[in-house]
Amino acid sequence: MTKWKRILGVGMAAMMTFSLAACGNSSESEENTEAQSEQSGPVSLEGKKITFMTCQGKFFEEYNTMAEAIEEDYGCEIEFQVVPDSEYSTLLKVKLSTSEVPDVFEYNFPTQNAEIGAAEYCEDLSNEEWVSRLVNPELIKDPDDGKIYALPKESSSGYMAVYYNKEVLADCGIEDPHPKTYDEFVEILDTVKEKGNGVTPLLVTNKDNWTTQIFMTCGFPVILGDKAEETFQKILNNELKWTDVPEFQEVVQDYLDLIDAGYVNEDYLSAGYDMAAERIGEGEAAMYVINEPWAIDMASKYPDCEL
């Protein structure tokens, strides 16, 4: 199978530096490239272009700052391919299967290694210098071959929560809410619906399906409690199907009930992640179930809005 050499992101702080490996369809071409590199030193990036594919929800303005620094220091242009969140996974697989994949792309690893064929399409980064600086490299090693196929950019665990506009809830008479049960959370939604003068209690952005799953991602382990680890392990081992777990069905039903009860925005199917900051910041919606990068984006766009 073709082993595509990829461009490696070695740092993502103030700037990124890249090492460039040649594309090749055979071990012979790879050996020739390595031999050439040994003889002539590092491959020059002057005049090169690196394509970087990501989705809208993962693209931050700081990427442009880093790209400018790379071009200034190395003469290498970074071309971003920013894809709608709902299309990203499908498009990435198509590009991989047709050998049109960009030099660098973002994905969840190592959980998606098998799904995207990382061992076939991605460069083995196990011997890169930055690997020695990883706090826990075992977290990102491929479960099958133990290799590292990607550079970690974000935390290995997503911190997901219900973010809320404090002023909006205060106007509804709710100060410093700390619901201890799901029913208490629903009571807050009901209060906002009753007293919020048209404010949407809970913002839902199902246009981007990765945001849809967060409610379930949070709810499944919570409702399983002490049975969570055992249940998920059985699913991974094909000893259980998702439909065999009644608790999962209950969480999905809870989500559907929120829609039926009118707690969410009417355009929940067409509203996207990129609209969320405006909806919460302008006080059109009170709450949003999402991960922590959104809070950073929100703070930059609406610095006066207290979450």
Side-chain angles (χ1 to χ4, degrees):
M1 302 298 290
T2 299
K3 178 73 173 183
W4 290 95
K5 291 290 189 176
R6 289 291 152 225
I7 296 167
L8 322 175
V10 183
M12 296 196 69
M15 57 177 286
M16 295 185 293
T17 58
F18 288 86
S19 61
L20 181 64
C23 292
N25 293 336
S26 68
S27 58
E28 180 181 353
S29 64
E30 292 179 9
E31 291 171 1
N32 290 339
T33 301
E34 291 169 1
Q36 183 182 13
S37 180
E38 290 176 1
Q39 293 173 2
S40 60
V43 178
S44 172
L45 295 179
E46 188 70 35
K48 304 291 185 181
K49 178 185 289 186
I50 296 173
T51 53
F52 190 131
M53 179 177 168
T54 186
C55 59
Q56 289 175 334
K58 292 289 186 181
F59 185 81
F60 302 101
E61 186 58 35
E62 287 77 7
Y63 278 19
N64 288 322
T65 302
M66 289 187 282
E68 291 171 2
I70 292 169
E71 185 165 10
E72 180 179 348
D73 292 346
Y74 299 99
C76 178
E77 179 185 354
I78 309 298
E79 178 185 87
F80 293 107
Q81 299 176 1
V82 185
V83 179
D85 296 327
S86 58
E87 301 173 13
Y88 186 76
S89 180
T90 300
L91 184 58
L92 175 59
K93 292 175 185 176
V94 171
K95 285 181 173 288
L96 285 167
S97 65
T98 58
S99 301
E100 295 180 356
V101 66
D103 301 308
V104 180
F105 59 88
E106 294 194 83
Y107 76 107
N108 293 324
F109 71 102
T111 52
Q112 286 186 299
N113 277 10
E115 183 180 351
I116 69 164
E120 177 182 353
Y121 296 111
C122 300
E123 177 71 6
D124 178 10
L125 309 181
S126 305
N127 295 321
E128 291 299 313
E129 187 275 332
W130 51 262
V131 172
S132 64
R133 303 198 302 272
L134 293 174
V135 175
N136 191 349
E138 297 301 319
L139 282 176
I140 62 173
K141 289 183 178 180
D142 187 273
D144 294 326
D145 60 24
K147 296 179 180 179
I148 295 176
Y149 292 109
L151 169 75
K153 182 179 74 74
E154 298 175 8
S155 170
S156 60
S157 59
Y159 188 83
M160 305 172 194
V162 181
Y163 289 92
Y164 63 92
N165 184 322
K166 294 183 72 171
E167 183 178 353
V168 170
L169 288 195
D171 289 343
C172 298
I174 304 171
E175 301 279 357
D176 196 26
H178 284 87
K180 292 181 171 57
T181 66
Y182 183 71
D183 287 341
E184 291 180 4
F185 170 64
V186 174
E187 288 176 8
I188 294 174
L189 296 176
D190 201 49
T191 300
V192 175
K193 182 181 178 183
E194 180 183 347
K195 300 180 179 180
N197 294 320
V199 171
T200 297
L202 184 66
L203 180 65
V204 172
T205 53
N206 285 345
K207 177 184 176 182
D208 300 313
N209 53 24
W210 69 270
T211 70
T212 309
Q213 68 182 354
I214 290 179
F215 186 93
M216 276 58 74
T217 301
C218 295
F220 289 165
V222 170
I223 196 170
L224 287 171
D226 294 338
K227 299 189 299 180
E229 184 174 355
E230 177 186 359
T231 301
F232 285 120
Q233 193 58 53
K234 287 183 177 180
I235 290 175
L236 289 173
N237 294 337
N238 292 320
E239 297 172 14
L240 270 181
K241 296 179 181 178
W242 290 90
T243 51
D244 293 334
V245 184
E247 289 89 346
F248 292 168
Q249 298 178 43
E250 183 177 342
V251 172
V252 173
Q253 189 59 55
D254 284 342
Y255 184 78
L256 296 175
D257 288 345
L258 294 177
I259 297 173
D260 292 340
Y263 293 134
V264 309
N265 41 302
E266 293 183 359
D267 62 346
Y268 65 92
L269 290 176
S270 58
Y273 176 85
D274 58 343
M275 304 176 182
E278 180 180 356
R279 296 283 180 93
I280 299 294
E282 297 290 343
E284 297 174 23
M287 291 176 276
Y288 188 36
V289 183
I290 198 66
N291 53 6
E292 76 278 17
W294 175 80
I296 300 172
D297 181 53
M298 175 69 188
S300 67
K301 294 177 178 177
Y302 290 88
D304 296 330
C305 179
E306 189 173 2
L307 291 180

